[in-house]
Amino acid sequence: LKPFSLKQFCFFGYQTAHRSIQKHSKMKVVFASLVAAATALDWEDYKMFYGKVYNGGDEDTAHKATFEANLAVIEEQNAKGEGLTFGPNQFTDLTQEEFKVAAGFGFIPSANQGSLPILGEHVHDGESLESSIDWEKQGSVTPVKDQGQCGSCWSFSTTGGLEGAWKNTAGQLKSMSEQQFMDCSSRNHGCNGGNVGLALSYASGAAVATESSYSYTAVQGSCKKSFTSAIPNGGVTGYSSVGGRWRGPSVSDMKSALSHGPVSVAIQADQRSFQHYSGGILSSGCGNQLDHAVLIVGYGTDGGKEYWRVKNSWSASWGDAGYIRLATADNVCGILNSQAVYPQVSTSVAV
């Protein structure tokens, strides 16, 4: 095996260390040094690390130029010394237009959420709210997954909500199958997009498969009938819509809903701020034209600024170990414009 160069070593260190360093303020000087080392990464090291292969020298040259331009953007942001940091990832060799294709944006709004009962509109009724919640830390969130170049974000948001609801109701965290929703939720469109409400409507009439028995292929296929059930048929009973009928959720509505478990939402994520995000709280630069379904796993405060903690489906090599923190103020990324929902499940049916 070819030995790692110093730059490669620093890059591996950056990718690993930035996942936890943001939790420890004394390590932020180290983090800044690792960011500087990572952004100095040369082209050949980057290609090897992410397994990038291009069709000919011209394509390689074009992506190298984009890579270098994006590193300049990353360095410019990190030089500001703000809490928000950018870093290299699997999208650093892509223009913004190429990123929009590669990231697999696939949220489709739907006025008709299907036949599954909407079990009320969850609004904050004045009850006391926790100062912070993090369902990942409480063991109700599976490891970050990777949707690949497929507009299947809606299926990952769906399984994330179901995984959290089942853990909080039945006491078991089970990784559930996105591919089942891709293949079997016929009112959605596989890699061409979909909606969490319609996916949950499908789940109300079927058992939900485990990830291991119905694995993800990033291509829509035929609906399988043989698999191991994570939630038995009848276990998904409905969902709650967050916010009032004629408006989206407020910040307090969302916090109240999160007391029950993770919440599926949609955001706009096709902007440069999302492409390069690596840590801190994003408070601007992402718009509100909803195109991507994600999962809010909690909320908190850092340096006096409140944030939503959001699980993405672009693998743990993106962002802060696959997560992003969005400021709760100003409806950042349109997160409060969305058809926010969380599923209701029952353990009264036999497994």
Side-chain angles (χ1 to χ4, degrees):
L1 293 176
K2 178 183 176 182
F4 292 137
S5 70
L6 176 60
K7 289 179 180 178
Q8 286 171 334
F9 176 80
C10 289
F11 185 66
F12 277 100
Y14 161 77
Q15 289 285 3
T16 302
H18 89 284
R19 298 173 186 176
S20 60
I21 284 172
Q22 292 301 312
K23 303 173 186 176
H24 306 286
S25 59
K26 291 182 180 179
M27 297 178 70
K28 289 189 177 180
V29 173
V30 177
F31 177 65
S33 298
L34 286 169
V35 168
T39 54
L41 182 74
D42 71 33
W43 179 232
E44 296 303 321
D45 292 340
Y46 175 82
K47 288 191 294 181
M48 188 183 80
F49 186 82
Y50 285 107
K52 298 281 186 173
V53 178
Y54 305 103
N55 185 22
D58 290 344
E59 185 174 306
D60 187 285
T61 299
H63 280 284
K64 180 181 180 181
T66 300
F67 170 77
E68 291 173 345
N70 284 333
L71 285 187
V73 171
I74 291 168
E75 290 171 344
E76 179 182 6
Q77 172 60 37
N78 294 340
K80 295 177 182 179
E82 301 174 344
L84 175 67
T85 57
F86 288 173
N89 57 42
Q90 66 267 43
F91 303 124
T92 309
D93 63 329
L94 305 179
T95 65
Q96 189 179 341
E97 291 305 313
E98 291 167 338
F99 164 65
K100 290 179 181 181
V101 175
F105 301 107
F107 170 74
I108 300 176
S110 177
N112 179 1
Q113 295 286 292
S115 59
L116 183 63
I118 299 178
L119 302 177
E121 296 170 344
H122 189 115
V123 296
H124 180 226
D125 64 3
E127 81 274 16
S128 178
L129 298 171
E130 298 288 340
S131 60
S132 65
I133 289 174
D134 192 326
W135 287 111
E136 186 211 12
K137 292 179 180 177
Q138 295 185 49
S140 297
V141 180
T142 58
V144 173
K145 304 178 185 182
D146 187 1
Q147 69 185 76
Q149 293 190 25
C150 169
S152 56
C153 57
W154 58 273
S155 67
F156 287 82
S157 182
T158 300
T159 58
L162 287 170
E163 289 162 352
W166 191 252
K167 171 61 167 63
N168 292 346
T169 301
Q172 298 173 301
L173 181 63
K174 299 181 179 181
S175 185
M176 300 184 193
S177 172
E178 294 76 29
Q179 191 65 42
Q180 180 187 16
F181 288 101
M182 290 270 290
D183 295 347
C184 307
S185 178
S186 59
R187 299 183 68 182
N188 285 307
H189 307 287
C191 286
N192 293 317
N195 181 277
V196 173
L198 294 177
L200 291 174
S201 182
Y202 158 75
S204 68
V208 178
T210 62
E211 183 91 41
S212 60
S213 68
Y214 202 150
S215 58
Y216 185 65
T217 65
V219 178
Q220 187 175 9
S222 299
C223 184
K224 290 171 54 176
K225 302 301 182 183
S226 178
F227 51 76
T228 302
S229 296
I231 300 178
N233 193 348
V236 180
T237 59
Y239 65 84
S240 293
S241 177
V242 184
R245 183 179 298 275
W246 305 113
R247 62 173 175 82
S250 67
V251 170
S252 59
D253 292 339
M254 189 67 78
K255 287 182 176 180
S256 177
L258 283 163
S259 69
H260 294 268
V263 175
S264 294
V265 296
I267 56 175
Q268 182 172 356
D270 64 355
Q271 301 300 299
R272 189 170 67 176
S273 58
F274 247 79
Q275 181 177 357
H276 303 311
Y277 174 83
S278 70
I281 300 173
L282 182 66
S283 58
S284 63
C286 53
N288 57 17
Q289 302 301 309
L290 308 180
D291 57 26
H292 189 51
V294 290
L295 188 75
I296 306 182
V297 303
Y299 60 87
T301 304
D302 186 357
K305 180 180 288 188
E306 290 192 340
Y307 62 84
W308 307 116
R309 188 161 185 253
V310 177
K311 182 186 183 185
N312 202 353
S313 50
W314 294 345
S315 85
S317 65
W318 174 87
D320 185 358
Y323 286 81
I324 186 170
R325 291 187 292 168
L326 301 178
T328 61
D330 302 321
N331 190 24
V332 173
C333 300
I335 199 167
L336 299 180
N337 290 355
S338 66
Q339 297 170 323
V341 300
Y342 63 87
Q344 301 275 17
V345 300
S346 172
T347 58
S348 63
V349 293
V351 178

